[in-house]
Amino acid sequence: MIFGGFTDGAGTRPPAGAVRLGRAGQIWQAGSPSARSLIMPSGATVTVLGWCGATDAELRALSARPVADDVALRWSGAYTVVEQAGDRTVVYTDPAGAVPVYATRYRRGWAWSSSARTLAGLTGSPVDHVRVAVAVFLPHVPAAVGRRSFFTGVQQLPPGSRIELAGGRELRSRTVWRPDPVPGPADGRLRTSLEDAVQLRATADPCLTCDLSGGLDSSSLALLAATARPAGGALNAVTVHPADRYDGADLTYARLAAAHHPRISHHLLPLGSEHLPYTDITAVPATDEPAPSTLTRARFEGQLRWMLDRFGSRTHLTGDGGDSVLFLPPAHLADLVRHRLHRRAAGEVAGWARLRHSAVLPLLRDVRTLNRTSRTQALTDLATTLEQGASPTSVGNGDVRWFPALPLPGWATAEAVRLLSGTVREAASADDPLPGLDTAVRIGVDEVREVARSATADAQFAAAYGIDLHNPFLDPRVIDAVLRTELRARPPVHAYKPVLALAMSGVLPTALAARTTKGSFNADHYTGLRTNLPDLRRLADGRLAALGLVDPDLLRAHLTQAASGVPMSLAMLEQALTVEAWLRTTDRTPAAWTSPGRGGPRHG
């Protein structure tokens, strides 16, 4: 669904396909689920937009008192709450950013929406070059994004906040959520929040489908969904696999999970050469930002079409986001030392060194350095490093740092570096909305919000094929359950998802709960890169080059080296291809608001 509104909606039509809500008609919505509204004693209208597990009675109880700061976290699901009175709009954003909300200046006030692209269509906003540069070269530094969207003048409202939009004034924002620690382990809270998240979707669509990759995340969701289904019928669970392989670890564990519940109907979807990564990536649908599934477009689209044809799928669950939520950042080691839990820190440093096949002493030095470096200082150091033309690897050492230190590729231009250093320095000068958290928790918040926001692009991708895609691990209450874990109750940093294994006790088969590995499609990625190299080389002379962010000759050379098997990181190369594909789709299908008429001017 897409929704939005105005602080002054007089004479402005909603975008094509949307309907006005409420008496004043200042809020609009396209898609499902239906919004729910109530009138407060003050005369203000409160509207709940998105997937919210509150009952009608619970929502009616809201009218008895002022809207509470935690209203966007109170129930299961991922939703936004909006309070409107006259030209004053208050938006309560969810803590995870799973339902990102954007705003832009419009006429005498503000326009806001869950779609940045839709707002760009209203105002005619071009693509933001700085945001594009960050997406290509610093995707591992979420703080560098700030409030930018991919469109100039369209900003994301901060997650976990109460934001007031009124008339011609600047927006006023107040943080209303902090993941401060609560006593006890997280497995019980995680179990409850995941069950509620899945139940909400299963109740709304008893015919929902689910991924079943054989990993802990999707298997947990599939088994919970099968249990949550109404009596009768079965959950259609899908496992994709290479067409020439009908065995292997992932398929073995997927079959084990499917056999564990009588209501699971297990379906295998073989992938042929037409589904290889990098195939026809510029055919992605238009989205707010580059979709994580861009490079695997053929596979993702193939699965969506197959589920539509086979089951008539309308709602589909994936385990995406589980890794970001459940894996502790290595900065947890620094938290242990800072809180003087030295014996445990020594054991976990040794465990992490074994897992990473690295020496212990350099890790201990990294821990010491991190405990002496604030988030602001780390960003300042990165900006300075970029300005001096040095490799970001000089900022911190090893794995224990505020953010990964990846060197810029040789095909990054001086203009790209200038834009990057400027936005990183801007981020360093901004106040941290969540000061005082443990370092691992603060890093976790940034990472989870980045994943949750970008996941909406995949949901928009799926929506283009008529399927409502859901990632329950990114629901705010699920994330809150994990991030609030007190230090002493956090699992070892080198353990493989022990909190989920405990939470799913009695749900997952014992052998699957004990799994400590994850399947990989890396071989397919290299095959796809070689197969599609001619098309990919042509993308080097594209929009990124036109923006002055990449050197096309050096980028083509890098692509050729990668396809030939030269050992290298593919991270930024893949980001460049993903962003280039999005830019071309955006050029081909520019955002539009509505047709001309008395409702207002046409933009876009």
Side-chain angles (χ1 to χ4, degrees):
M1 71 176 299
I2 296 176
F3 58 80
F6 305 90
T7 56
D8 178 9
T12 303
R13 287 183 177 178
V19 296
R20 292 183 186 272
L21 304 176
R23 297 176 301 180
Q26 291 173 261
I27 298 178
W28 54 264
Q29 175 187 339
S32 60
S34 298
R36 291 186 283 174
S37 298
L38 60 148
I39 306 299
M40 305 294 282
S42 64
T45 300
V46 173
T47 305
V48 179
L49 298 146
W51 289 82
C52 177
T55 64
D56 290 341
E58 287 172 329
L59 287 185
R60 284 195 298 271
L62 278 179
S63 63
R65 59 186 66 87
V67 179
D69 285 346
D70 69 346
V71 68
L73 182 67
R74 186 168 294 185
W75 298 289
S76 60
Y79 58 92
T80 299
V81 177
V82 178
E83 182 181 10
Q84 266 194 327
D87 70 346
R88 174 179 168 273
T89 298
V90 178
V91 181
Y92 296 85
T93 53
D94 78 86
V99 184
V101 181
Y102 303 89
T104 188
R105 288 287 197 179
Y106 182 68
R107 293 184 176 174
R108 297 183 300 275
W110 293 87
W112 55 272
S113 174
S114 59
S115 168
R117 182 173 180 271
T118 297
L119 291 180
L122 174 67
T123 60
S125 300
V127 168
D128 186 319
H129 299 183
V130 176
R131 183 65 184 89
V132 168
V134 172
V136 175
F137 300 110
L138 294 180
H140 50 286
V141 187
V145 174
R147 293 188 181 182
R148 293 179 184 274
S149 77
F150 276 82
F151 299 94
T152 302
V154 179
Q155 61 177 301
Q156 183 184 0
L157 301 183
S161 299
R162 178 190 185 276
I163 304 100
E164 183 174 334
L165 307 169
R169 298 198 299 268
E170 291 296 321
L171 63 81
R172 292 188 291 184
S173 174
R174 176 167 57 86
T175 300
V176 297
W177 173 83
R178 281 179 57 90
D180 291 317
V182 295
D187 54 280
R189 300 190 301 273
L190 177 60
R191 171 71 171 264
T192 299
S193 59
L194 269 182
E195 285 179 334
D196 291 345
V198 172
Q199 181 69 61
L200 174 63
R201 279 77 173 191
T203 300
D205 184 2
C207 297
L208 88 170
T209 53
C210 188
D211 282 350
L212 183 56
S213 69
L216 268 63
D217 304 342
S218 65
S219 298
S220 297
L221 296 181
L223 289 163
L224 290 176
T227 301
R229 281 183 54 83
L235 171 76
N236 290 309
V238 181
T239 303
V240 298
H241 64 94
D244 59 348
R245 292 194 61 184
Y246 281 84
D247 56 8
D250 283 349
L251 281 169
T252 298
Y253 284 113
R255 290 186 175 110
L256 183 64
H260 197 64
H261 202 294
R263 289 188 186 175
I264 290 183
S265 178
H266 192 201
H267 305 269
L268 301 183
L269 173 57
L271 301 175
S273 59
E274 69 275 17
H275 299 118
L276 280 172
Y278 302 99
T279 299
D280 199 12
I281 60 175
T282 59
V284 289
T287 54
D288 279 358
E289 64 179 86
S293 291
T294 297
L295 299 184
T296 55
R297 180 210 61 81
R299 166 186 166 180
F300 190 36
E301 180 184 323
Q303 180 181 352
L304 294 171
R305 291 186 182 277
W306 184 83
M307 293 191 304
L308 277 170
D309 293 342
R310 188 78 174 264
F311 315 122
S313 295
R314 298 188 304 273
T315 308
H316 186 73
L317 304 184
T318 85
D320 291 352
D323 288 352
S324 298
V325 176
L326 297 168
F327 281 133
L328 270 174
H332 166 70
L333 301 173
D335 290 335
L336 291 174
V337 171
R338 186 165 59 86
H339 288 279
R340 301 185 181 279
L341 299 175
H342 298 299
R343 179 171 295 183
R344 180 176 168 185
E348 292 200 26
V349 166
W352 184 246
R354 284 194 303 272
L355 182 68
R356 304 289 292 178
H357 304 290
S358 61
V360 169
L361 285 179
L363 276 177
L364 289 173
R365 286 195 294 268
D366 295 346
V367 166
R368 181 184 179 188
T369 299
L370 181 58
N371 275 332
R372 294 178 173 180
T373 307
S374 68
R375 183 172 181 266
T376 295
Q377 188 60 53
L379 289 166
T380 300
D381 290 347
L382 175 57
T384 300
T385 300
L386 290 166
E387 289 163 358
Q388 294 175 347
S391 167
T393 52
S394 63
V395 182
N397 300 292
D399 296 308
V400 186
R401 54 168 68 90
W402 275 101
F403 36 79
L406 303 178
L408 293 181
W411 39 268
T413 65
E415 172 64 7
V417 174
R418 184 186 69 81
L419 296 177
L420 295 171
S421 62
T423 193
V424 171
R425 198 164 290 285
E426 182 181 327
S429 66
D431 292 335
D432 185 355
L434 295 171
L437 295 177
D438 279 348
T439 303
V441 176
R442 187 64 188 89
I443 291 172
V445 171
D446 276 350
E447 291 182 351
V448 165
R449 285 177 171 174
E450 175 72 14
V451 170
R453 191 207 66 250
S454 62
T456 62
D458 271 350
Q460 291 169 347
F461 188 137
Y465 295 89
I467 292 181
D468 200 352
L469 191 72
H470 291 258
N471 308 300
F473 278 100
L474 296 174
D475 275 12
R477 288 182 67 85
V478 175
I479 291 169
D480 183 79
V482 175
L483 289 179
R484 284 188 183 275
T485 307
E486 63 176 344
L487 180 61
R488 293 177 183 274
R490 291 183 210 160
V493 70
H494 55 279
Y496 189 82
K497 300 183 180 178
V499 175
L500 182 61
L502 284 172
M504 293 296 108
S505 176
V507 175
L508 291 172
T510 303
L512 177 54
R515 185 178 186 185
T516 58
T517 59
K518 187 172 184 174
S520 170
F521 281 82
N522 283 344
D524 285 346
H525 270 259
Y526 280 101
T527 301
L529 185 58
R530 289 193 298 271
T531 301
N532 293 286
L533 182 60
D535 290 339
L536 299 177
R537 282 173 55 86
R538 282 191 286 272
L539 294 182
D541 283 303
R543 290 284 281 113
L544 289 174
L547 293 175
L549 301 179
V550 304
D551 181 309
D553 294 330
L554 294 178
L555 178 55
R556 270 192 300 273
H558 195 174
L559 278 165
T560 302
Q561 291 171 348
S564 66
V566 175
M568 65 177 68
S569 170
L570 296 181
M572 289 189 195
L573 188 63
E574 291 185 337
Q575 282 298 117
L577 293 171
T578 296
V579 175
E580 178 67 34
W582 178 81
L583 287 168
R584 292 187 178 219
T585 296
T586 300
D587 283 349
R588 187 174 64 248
T589 53
W593 183 259
T594 187
S595 58
R598 288 184 300 172
R602 181 178 180 176
H603 302 264

